[in-house]
Amino acid sequence: KHPEATKVLEENIRRLEAMSLVQKYLLDDSTHQNKEVQLDTYLNNVIDLVVLNLFPQENKLKLVREIDAIYLDYDIAMRLAIALNELICNAIEHGLLQSETPELTVSVKRSEQQLELIVRDNGPGFTEQHLQANSINGQGLIVKLLHKVNGTIRYSNDQGCVATVHVDL
């Protein structure tokens, strides 16, 4: 009956669905026995699930994926998937639903010693006050998830919101 309670419950349901997808994929993946996950396949499934659940069908979303084929440790992959879920939810709810020509780009690249995940939308971006106050939805969860794997996140505005995650490997 309370809109705020409904919103919190819906956010937690989305998080649980993302974690469920993560577990299903990881348990089905034959490489799991080696404690490695094929990250690109796994993250593409997360992207599809979030977009399907949150983005209205009548809107035409231009979705650009630039995801390298990467095998990664199970724990790091799980944390990245949950962070990606949060970042895409924010992009849709606070940016893309307000855009006449919505565009979402997800990029995952690996160098020898670092992984970079970028989520970019063409929405209105965040105000400087939001960026300075660290008051972006789900940011606390993302920071905690990434801290355990020596990861960081940075937000910026560049014709929309850009969230950049770095994880040292």
Side-chain angles (χ1 to χ4, degrees):
K1 295 181 181 180
H2 299 284
E4 187 62 32
T6 301
K7 182 179 177 184
V8 168
L9 286 173
E10 287 173 351
E11 287 176 7
N12 285 323
I13 288 168
R14 257 193 331 275
R15 286 182 180 136
L16 288 171
E17 286 174 342
M19 286 185 263
S20 173
L21 177 66
V22 167
Q23 290 300 319
K24 179 184 181 310
Y25 175 79
L26 294 176
L27 293 174
D28 288 346
D29 188 347
S30 62
T31 62
H32 176 62
Q33 57 200 324
N34 298 330
K35 296 210 176 218
E36 283 195 340
V37 175
Q38 187 173 347
L39 189 66
D40 53 315
T41 302
Y42 168 38
L43 293 184
N44 276 312
N45 287 333
V46 171
I47 294 166
D48 291 341
L49 177 70
V50 175
V51 170
L52 178 68
N53 285 333
L54 291 182
F55 203 79
Q57 296 298 334
E58 64 271 8
N59 291 354
K60 298 289 186 206
L61 172 66
K62 180 178 179 188
L63 180 58
V64 178
R65 303 174 205 224
E66 301 167 347
I67 303 176
D68 288 349
I70 300 169
Y71 283 86
L72 200 58
D73 175 77
Y74 168 90
D75 186 51
I76 296 172
M78 182 178 63
R79 291 170 186 280
L80 283 173
I82 296 169
L84 178 62
N85 177 68
E86 291 294 316
L87 294 171
I88 293 174
C89 288
N90 281 345
I92 291 172
E93 292 172 3
H94 303 289
L96 298 176
L97 292 178
Q98 302 169 32
S99 177
E100 289 185 28
T101 56
E103 185 173 327
L104 177 68
T105 301
V106 178
S107 169
V108 181
K109 306 289 180 197
R110 180 180 184 162
S111 66
E112 286 186 28
Q113 305 202 358
Q114 194 172 69
L115 183 127
E116 179 182 69
L117 166 93
I118 299 174
V119 177
R120 173 188 299 269
D121 69 62
N122 67 338
F126 286 101
T127 65
E128 270 310 306
Q129 292 142 335
H130 273 106
L131 292 172
Q132 296 296 328
N134 294 325
S135 61
I136 298 169
N137 288 348
Q139 185 173 4
L141 173 64
I142 295 170
V143 168
K144 287 177 185 175
L145 285 167
L146 296 176
H147 177 73
K148 297 268 186 184
V149 292
N150 297 318
T152 60
I153 185 163
R154 179 179 51 86
Y155 295 91
S156 60
N157 285 313
D158 181 11
Q159 298 177 346
C161 181
V162 180
T164 304
V165 171
H166 287 108
V167 176
D168 293 333
L169 302 174

